[in-house]
Amino acid sequence: MESSCPAMFRHPVAIEPADIDHMGHVNNSVYLKWVQDAVVDYWQSVAPPDAVARHLWVALKHEISYRKPTFLQDTVVAEVIADKVEGARAYFTTVVRRGQEVLSEVKSCWCCLDAVTQRPARLARDVVSRFLPPTA
């Protein structure tokens, strides 16, 4: 089975004045929103429309390593890579960058849900192949 998955998905990040904390840079909690937006955008860009309509994603775990502060005037991109899928769970790495500078690295685990029942749901192989390279 041939995969048409992108090696990496780039999601532009919009920094809002409300994202800035009392120290003058983006509050750490905002990174979670960026990761959520980036992973969902990635899913919606690679999955067929019927799969997007039938499935929802909920984050189970985020491990964030903050490297450098982010400021209101920065141009930032979140780069998403799908690492693996196991059953109804998918694992992603998201790197937030300002140019070549790494601002944060996030490892996250997500659960795929059936949109109607909101119970865990496995994705069909052909859907998984759209965002994960085939295993050797």
Side-chain angles (χ1 to χ4, degrees):
M1 175 183 340
E2 192 163 317
S3 172
S4 61
C5 72
M8 173 190 31
F9 178 77
R10 295 175 56 85
H11 174 83
V13 172
I15 303 171
E16 304 293 331
D19 297 339
I20 305 302
D21 65 16
H22 66 283
M23 295 185 348
H25 54 73
V26 172
N27 186 280
N28 288 357
S29 64
V30 175
Y31 289 79
L32 293 176
K33 180 182 180 324
W34 292 350
V35 171
Q36 174 122 355
D37 291 347
V39 170
V40 170
D41 189 23
Y42 177 51
W43 160 251
Q44 292 173 343
S45 75
V46 299
D50 62 318
V52 171
R54 289 193 322 267
H55 299 96
L56 304 172
W57 288 94
V58 62
L60 300 176
K61 180 179 181 178
H62 293 296
E63 291 180 16
I64 303 177
S65 298
Y66 298 100
R67 303 287 183 220
K68 295 184 177 191
T70 307
F71 303 97
L72 183 60
Q73 71 279 4
D74 289 343
T75 300
V76 175
V77 173
E79 300 173 343
V80 180
I81 298 171
D83 296 319
K84 66 180 175 178
V85 173
E86 292 178 343
R89 291 184 182 202
Y91 299 81
F92 296 91
T93 299
T94 305
V95 177
V96 177
R97 293 182 185 272
R98 173 179 51 228
Q100 294 302 309
E101 287 183 292
V102 174
L103 304 174
S104 68
E105 297 174 64
V106 184
K107 294 282 189 178
S108 57
C109 175
W110 297 69
C111 184
C112 180
L113 301 177
D114 178 283
V116 174
T117 67
Q118 295 191 0
R119 298 192 45 84
R122 290 177 181 254
L123 293 171
R125 276 193 205 162
D126 65 314
V127 174
V128 171
S129 72
R130 289 175 172 256
F131 63 98
L132 272 183
T135 56

